[in-house]
Amino acid sequence: MRRPLMAGNWKMHLTLDQAEALARGVASGLAAQAVSDQVEVVVCPPFVHLERVSRALAGSPVALGAQDLFWEDEGAYTGEVSGPQLVDLGCRYVIVGHSERRHVLGESNEAVRRKLEAALRHGVRPILCVGERIEERRAGRADATVANQVRTALAGLTPEQARQVVIAYEPVWAIGTGEHASGEEANRMAGLIRDQVGELFTAEVAEAVRILYGGSVKPANVAEFVSQPQVDGALVGGASLEAEGFVAMAAAAGGRQGGGEA
Ligand code: 13P
């Protein structure tokens, strides 16, 4: 059985005080719902807020994640942040290959692969993001694009490493747009991703890997995704910035009441 995962990507939002308040709100809301046995919850603040959020989450089951990392462990890499530095701050997860990094900052599949390896080397679980652009979907190349992203990123990992990876299917056209894939299509794409993992590794690894959907997930539509058999939770951007709604989505992913309201 795969344990559902609800992850919040706070992107480049919030002041330090706002980030701390949100972290406290998520931790206390989750405690009130008593769903942490059924669902794993992760928040990914900006790097500069990690330490404060880490303190705010101390003693709660909410895990800390970062939004990126560099593939080298240390050195003259101005502006970059390493795996060991994330471990030091208590990060258990790190987002790798988010579409905003691929498409706004030009990150290649090869860069994504090196970052994934670095995260695994330091015992930080990567949340690997994949997803097609609207032109690729219109041209009938969504499946091939996503399969290629998965295969390039995971190439060279051992089966033990591969099973640590969480994969988020985030169609680029659905991110921050209010448009989203249908539950059925999210399920089909998650199945396609699982098939790639099975071909690269083993059926057992494919069964173990958690696959999330991301792209305009909100309390009002989360149930459509987390009820799909191939979808093991969600990676949420905008709607993760509000504690009550985020906790409701986590509860929905954990199979409890809480999703559904606007
Ligand atoms: P939105 O939920 O704001 O569409 O963002 C999705 C996302 O990019 C999460 O990583």
Side-chain angles (χ1 to χ4, degrees), residues 169-249:
Y169 169 59
E170 299 206 305
V172 179
W173 47 270
I175 295 178
T177 59
E179 279 187 52
H180 56 81
S182 67
E184 197 175 74
E185 181 62 3
N187 190 58
R188 192 187 69 80
M189 293 301 285
L192 174 131
I193 291 167
R194 204 176 296 289
D195 288 345
Q196 307 308 309
V197 177
E199 285 173 24
L200 284 168
F201 303 98
T202 64
E204 192 268 328
V205 173
E207 270 309 299
V209 162
R210 288 179 295 180
I211 302 177
L212 314 180
Y213 169 76
S216 297
V217 178
K218 311 244 173 311
N221 63 24
V222 68
E224 181 178 348
F225 303 108
V226 298
S227 61
Q228 302 293 334
Q230 295 292 343
V231 177
D232 305 310
L235 178 57
V236 183
S240 73
L241 298 172
E242 198 274 305
E244 201 180 325
F246 184 63
V247 169
M249 290 188 283

Side-chain angles (χ1 to χ4, degrees), residues 33-202:
Q33 289 264 1
V35 286
S36 52
D37 287 347
Q38 288 86 25
V39 58
E40 190 172 3
V41 178
V42 181
V43 296
C44 302
F47 286 133
V48 290
H49 298 347
L50 283 170
E51 187 176 9
R52 179 88 79 89
V53 169
S54 175
R55 288 181 202 282
L57 294 177
S60 99
V62 180
L64 188 66
Q67 297 175 16
D68 187 28
L69 84 169
F70 192 55
W71 56 75
E72 297 291 347
D73 293 353
E74 66 166 312
Y77 303 105
T78 302
E80 295 297 330
V81 175
S82 73
Q85 289 171 331
L86 297 185
V87 170
D88 220 10
L89 287 162
C91 290
R92 301 222 301 271
Y93 285 88
V94 60
I95 296 171
V96 173
H98 192 278
S99 80
E100 286 145 18
R101 298 212 58 87
R102 291 178 190 261
H103 301 306
V104 182
L105 292 145
E107 208 163 280
S108 66
N109 275 340
E110 173 60 14
V112 171
R113 189 189 64 72
R114 295 180 74 178
K115 290 181 173 196
L116 197 82
E117 278 183 2
L120 290 164
R121 188 162 71 237
H122 297 290
V124 183
R125 289 186 147 207
I127 301 175
L128 167 68
C129 299
V130 297
E132 81 286 356
R133 305 169 92 157
I134 192 65
E135 313 85 85
E136 290 161 332
R137 176 155 288 266
R138 290 199 180 121
R141 288 194 286 111
D143 294 15
T145 300
V146 168
N148 182 46
Q149 288 171 337
V150 171
R151 285 177 171 270
T152 332
L154 301 185
L157 298 187
T158 66
E160 292 67 36
Q161 288 176 314
R163 54 184 304 147
Q164 304 297 315
V165 179
V166 175
I167 304 176
Y169 169 59
E170 299 206 305
V172 179
W173 47 270
I175 295 178
T177 59
E179 279 187 52
H180 56 81
S182 67
E184 197 175 74
E185 181 62 3
N187 190 58
R188 192 187 69 80
M189 293 301 285
L192 174 131
I193 291 167
R194 204 176 296 289
D195 288 345
Q196 307 308 309
V197 177
E199 285 173 24
L200 284 168
F201 303 98
T202 64

